[in-house]
Amino acid sequence: MTIIRAHDYAEMSAKAAELITAQLLLKPDCVLGLATGSTPLGIYDALARKVAAGSLSFARARSINLDEYVGLSASDRQSYAYFMRENLFKKVDFADGANNIPNGVSTDVDAECARYDSLVERLGGIDLQLLGLGPNGHIGFNEPSDAFEPNTHLVELTENTIAANARFFGEGEHQPTRALTIGVRAIMQAKTVLLAVSGEAKANALRGALFGPITPRLPASILQLHPRLFVVADDAAMSAIDR
Ligand code: GLP
């Protein structure tokens, strides 16, 4: 594991964006595993600025997103498909059809999960997987549970996660309580994993993930077994480890 430390969110974002840039330069036709949430926003912004400046291109890359809310279509403003379009895809130069995200309104959830896993396989796996960290240690929407789930699956979100993500939903706006998420196998089989973490609210989860027991009760702890894990974290996120 390599820990790259940053002073604050801006520096964390810049450093994580450099790692993704290096991946794209080394292998322009790479498969990027992408994440949602507030953490990657600064990273996506830095990448979009590089594309606008002409120093980076996604033209040959493909992407696979981690997760999607059940019940939200790609046109719903609260869907992760919408989030990705607004915050990255429309600002960079991916080719049409290069971006993949689970279908949250599929009528056959099992078939959709199987389709997503075979898609990852068909693309040859993920070269670089970007991850945020849930305050309860979730990655993607792999929530704390009794066993690690290897495959893409349907999740009942925990109260903790629903509360943590409530800030994204306006008053009266329906907040889904279920999601489809890629499982830990595709994440662990990614050639490189980049865990981006910012803020005090993640400090305990980060300490547990990196230095606690490996347990499905704190899903990110499985990353300790990954042979090429980069953690980019700011001072606030590192504060529990420092103590
Ligand atoms: C959501 C996403 C995760 C993300 C997490 C952290 O639950 N499914 O992939 O890592 O939120 O979000 P944030 O970066 O907003 O703290």
Side-chain angles (χ1 to χ4, degrees):
M1 153 177 37
T2 303
I3 299 181
I4 299 173
R5 194 170 175 140
H7 290 304
D8 55 15
Y9 178 76
E11 198 187 353
M12 184 282 292
S13 302
K15 289 185 171 187
E18 286 311 329
L19 286 170
I20 297 172
T21 301
Q23 173 67 61
L24 281 159
L25 295 178
L26 285 170
K27 188 178 176 192
D29 60 346
C30 62
V31 176
L32 296 173
L34 297 177
T36 52
S38 46
T39 308
L41 286 173
I43 302 173
Y44 293 158
D45 194 48
L47 293 171
R49 278 187 275 111
K50 284 168 184 277
V51 172
S55 60
L56 180 67
S57 174
F58 289 76
R60 295 173 57 201
R62 274 86 27 91
S63 74
I64 304 214
N65 258 82
L66 286 165
D67 45 18
E68 180 59 282
Y69 284 117
V70 167
L72 300 190
S73 72
S75 58
D76 192 298
R77 295 178 69 85
Q78 291 295 354
S79 71
Y80 282 167
Y82 188 91
F83 174 100
M84 290 306 299
R85 263 198 321 276
E86 289 301 306
N87 293 300
L88 185 68
F89 299 154
K90 77 179 196 191
K91 300 180 181 171
V92 299
D93 59 342
F94 276 111
D96 285 349
N99 305 122
N100 301 285
I101 193 153
N103 176 5
V105 290
S106 161
T107 50
D108 185 341
V109 167
D110 289 344
E112 175 57 13
C113 292
R115 178 192 75 83
Y116 212 62
D117 283 331
S118 32
L119 172 70
V120 174
E121 239 169 77
R122 213 169 55 242
L123 290 173
I126 296 164
D127 288 298
L128 182 147
Q129 176 66 58
L130 171 64
L131 294 174
L133 181 65
N136 64 0
H138 72 231
I139 44 177
F141 267 137
N142 287 273
E143 291 278 47
S145 71
D146 293 336
F148 289 111
E149 280 274 0
N151 298 323
T152 299
H153 57 283
L154 175 72
V155 194
E156 298 285 344
L157 301 175
T158 59
E159 274 176 32
N160 178 299
T161 295
I162 294 168
N165 288 347
R167 68 189 192 279
F168 294 112
F169 293 82
E171 224 183 273
E173 227 172 2
H174 168 66
Q175 183 181 2
T177 58
R178 297 188 305 162
L180 299 183
T181 184
I182 230 171
V184 295
R185 185 176 50 220
I187 294 172
M188 289 300 285
Q189 286 181 345
K191 295 194 185 83
T192 299
V193 173
L194 166 51
L195 178 66
V197 196
S198 171
E200 181 86 42
K202 307 290 179 67
N204 284 330
L206 184 62
R207 183 182 53 192
L210 303 188
F211 300 109
I214 298 170
T215 165
R217 291 271 137 224
L218 203 161
S221 63
I222 199 172
L223 299 174
Q224 291 175 38
L225 300 175
H226 196 282
R228 205 171 136 79
L229 169 64
F230 291 88
V231 180
V232 185
D234 63 15
D235 285 340
M238 291 294 286
S239 58
I241 293 172
D242 290 342
R243 286 198 292 273

